[in-house]
């Protein structure tokens, strides 16, 4: 324990958070450094239960990853390939439509589309992609493109950010995922993804989307070269944006996975640190409705534990349609869960699995 913080100080901060009062960045650092894991879990669980009771949300979804050819060379990325390199892919529009068509009649409510920032794909291409996917699966919400992808394609088009987002919205893009945030601290970002779109761009895209009524998620990549101060700064910037817009649905802490990238030497943090990060996220982000434990990244066992540390969402069925984390060494190399699997996982943690749509409306079948 840090000498300047007593047990009474930590109990006071924990009680403050449990009562729903906002904690400061300095108090968050104190909790991280000195609060026992069990205390963090209790406070986060109390907050979670106050918001969503005994519910654990999931959806029936699948991913389309159009390409892993990317302009940027992020050091933490195991997914990226050069054009022509072994393992590279670049799907044609007809292949994307066929992928979507394969889920017709399956009951999916969401199509999640993210990929590399391909140098040759423009805004017209992506708008047509969304239009065709939505026409193929009209009952499913299209949640598409990270803020980094969006900033590039819209900038290239010459349109303003708002007009570019409107064009995509009119084509059928109804929500935006949270990827590309990594760590907001600019110095850390220069070390791990110097070519990538900036923190300012990421925040501007999400704020513009919220202004148009497009809900989004937010992420943070943790467990590499950053420190706890950088993590809390990241959470604080998200909390301040959410104060202004109210447009975020969920926060998703993403654990750095080390296989097959330029940062393998960093290793990976322990599961106990994952649980601390989930709990602190739930405690600090008092204005975020949901905290998601993304099961293809954590694996099923850690995801079950996460439900006792503030998470109230685990993502969806996925049906073996994403490669981003499996290529980086995550435990589930072919990620898929049935509804029954999800229900059993939630029940084992003492919760009740509830199907939702992209906007957290409960789905009754």
């Amino acid at each position: 324990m840090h000498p300047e913080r007593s047990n009474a100080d930590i109990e006071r901060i924990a009680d403050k958070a449990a009562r729903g009062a906002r904690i400061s960045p300095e108090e968050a650092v104190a909790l991280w450094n000195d609060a026992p894991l069990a205390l963090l879990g209790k406070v986060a669980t109390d907050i979670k239960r106050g918001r969503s009771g005994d519910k654990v949300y999931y959806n029936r979804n699948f991913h389309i990853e159009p390409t892993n050819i990317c302009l940027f060379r992020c050091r933490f990325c195991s997914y990226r390939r050069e054009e022509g390199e072994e393992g590279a892919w670049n799907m044609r529009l007809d292949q994307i439509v066929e992928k979507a068509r394969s889920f017709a009649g399956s009951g999916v409510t969401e199509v999640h589309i993210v990929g590399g920032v391909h140098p040759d794909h423009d805004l017209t291409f992506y708008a047509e992609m969304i239009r065709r996917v939505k026409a193929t699966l009209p009952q499913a919400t299209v949640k598409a493109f990270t803020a980094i992808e969006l900033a590039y394609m819209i900038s290239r088009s010459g349109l303003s950010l708002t007009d570019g987002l409107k064009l995509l919205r009119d084509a059928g893009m109804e929500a935006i995922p949270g990827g590309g945030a990594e760590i907001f601290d600019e110095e850390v970002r220069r070390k791990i993804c110097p070519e990538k779109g900036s923190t300012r761009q990421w925040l501007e895209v999400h704020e513009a989307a919220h202004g148009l009524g497009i809900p989004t998620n937010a992420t943070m990549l943790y467990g590499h070269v950053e420190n706890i101060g950088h993590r809390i700064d990241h959470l604080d910037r998200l909390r301040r944006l959410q104060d202004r817009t109210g447009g975020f649905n969920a926060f998703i802490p993403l654990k750095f996975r080390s296989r097959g990238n330029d940062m393998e030497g960093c290793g990976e943090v322990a599961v106990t640190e994952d649980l601390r990060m989930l709990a602190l996220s739930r405690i600090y982000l008092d204005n975020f409705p949901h905290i998601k434990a993304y099961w293809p990244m954590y694996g099923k066992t850690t995801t079950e534990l996460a439900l006792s540390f503030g998470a109230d969402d685990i993502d969806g069925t996925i049906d073996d349609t994403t490669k981003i984390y499996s290529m980086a060494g995550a435990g589930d190399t072919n990620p898929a869960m049935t509804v029954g699997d999800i229900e059993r996982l939630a029940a084992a943690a003492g919760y009740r699995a509830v199907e939702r749509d992209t906007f957290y409306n409960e789905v009754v079948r």
Side-chain angles (χ1 to χ4, degrees):
M1 174 167 290
H2 291 226
E4 67 273 15
R5 291 287 182 183
S6 68
N7 286 332
D9 288 333
I10 297 304
E11 291 286 351
R12 177 189 58 78
I13 298 168
D15 181 65
K16 176 182 177 180
R19 288 185 285 103
R22 174 164 289 188
I23 67 169
S24 69
E26 295 75 22
E27 289 171 325
V29 171
L31 287 180
W32 180 270
N33 287 333
D34 294 331
L37 179 60
L39 178 60
L40 286 179
K42 182 183 184 306
V43 174
T45 297
D46 288 347
I47 294 170
K48 174 255 179 285
R49 284 191 175 275
R51 291 170 175 266
S52 51
D54 68 344
K55 298 173 184 176
V56 169
Y57 293 104
Y58 74 94
N59 65 351
R60 301 188 197 218
N61 65 341
F62 73 97
H63 289 224
I64 296 175
E65 294 169 351
T67 185
N68 64 345
I69 297 167
C70 187
L71 277 171
F72 304 127
R73 299 172 180 270
C74 301
R75 294 186 61 226
F76 56 79
C77 184
S78 309
Y79 175 81
R80 178 193 182 276
R81 296 291 185 274
E82 294 276 0
E83 188 164 3
E85 184 181 354
E86 183 179 355
W89 71 81
N90 183 26
M91 297 172 72
R92 303 185 309 272
L93 286 175
D94 63 305
Q95 293 174 310
I96 290 168
V97 169
E98 186 56 35
K99 179 79 168 180
R101 188 176 293 122
S102 72
F103 284 89
S106 67
V108 297
T109 62
E110 180 182 285
V111 187
H112 181 120
I113 306 175
V114 298
V117 181
H118 195 288
D120 298 334
H121 292 172
D122 59 14
L123 190 63
T124 302
F125 174 85
Y126 288 114
E128 182 63 17
M129 180 191 299
I130 292 171
R131 196 173 291 114
R132 293 192 192 188
V133 169
K134 188 66 180 175
T136 305
L137 295 172
Q139 80 288 353
T141 298
V142 177
K143 183 172 75 177
F145 312 129
T146 68
I148 302 304
E149 292 172 271
L150 290 164
Y152 176 78
M153 69 177 76
I154 293 171
S155 173
R156 183 178 172 184
S157 76
L159 294 177
S160 70
L161 192 53
T162 297
D163 286 344
L165 289 171
K166 283 180 179 177
L167 187 151
L168 293 169
R169 183 190 63 184
D170 292 346
M173 183 186 75
E174 298 156 276
I176 295 171
E182 321 316 353
I183 284 285
F184 287 152
D185 181 83
E186 287 79 4
E187 184 177 344
V188 174
R189 208 172 179 89
R190 281 192 291 272
K191 293 177 181 176
I192 67 173
C193 52
E195 302 165 318
K196 197 170 200 166
S198 67
T199 295
R200 178 184 57 79
Q201 283 181 313
W202 192 98
L203 293 167
E204 285 178 349
V205 168
H206 283 264
E207 185 161 13
H210 297 170
L212 293 171
I214 302 171
T216 75
N217 289 337
T219 63
M220 174 176 65
L221 184 71
Y222 70 90
H224 41 89
V225 301
E226 89 294 350
N227 61 39
I228 187 57
H230 299 135
R231 296 186 200 179
I232 291 170
D233 169 69
H234 189 104
L235 295 177
D236 195 62
R237 297 196 209 196
L238 290 174
R239 191 170 75 175
R240 283 185 276 131
L241 179 53
Q242 182 76 331
D243 278 343
R244 293 200 302 275
T245 68
F248 288 115
N249 275 337
F251 174 68
I252 311 155
L254 295 173
K255 175 178 185 159
F256 168 66
R257 292 289 190 173
S258 62
R259 190 179 75 189
N261 57 59
D262 292 341
M263 292 171 59
E264 283 185 315
C266 294
E268 296 179 2
V269 298
V271 170
T272 50
E273 186 159 340
D274 298 330
L275 301 178
R276 292 184 79 84
M277 194 65 246
L278 284 156
L280 189 67
S281 300
R282 177 62 288 168
I283 291 166
Y284 196 82
L285 295 175
D286 52 47
N287 53 5
F288 270 64
H290 305 284
I291 302 294
K292 180 185 292 188
Y294 182 54
W295 74 260
M297 176 267 298
Y298 281 129
K300 299 182 183 73
T301 301
T302 301
T303 298
E304 183 182 321
L305 291 171
L307 300 181
S308 297
F309 288 84
D312 71 341
D313 186 281
I314 64 169
D315 202 75
T317 49
I318 295 182
D319 203 21
D320 192 18
T321 54
T322 179
K323 297 183 183 298
I324 291 173
Y325 264 96
S326 59
M327 289 171 73
D332 288 282
T333 54
N334 302 103
M337 274 210 279
T338 66
V339 170
D341 292 335
I342 291 170
E343 290 173 342
R344 285 187 289 274
L345 186 151
Y351 291 98
R352 176 170 57 96
V354 173
E355 185 179 355
R356 62 163 176 85
D357 65 11
T358 301
F359 313 105
Y360 287 86
N361 301 304
E362 294 185 20
V363 174
V364 179
R365 295 186 185 264

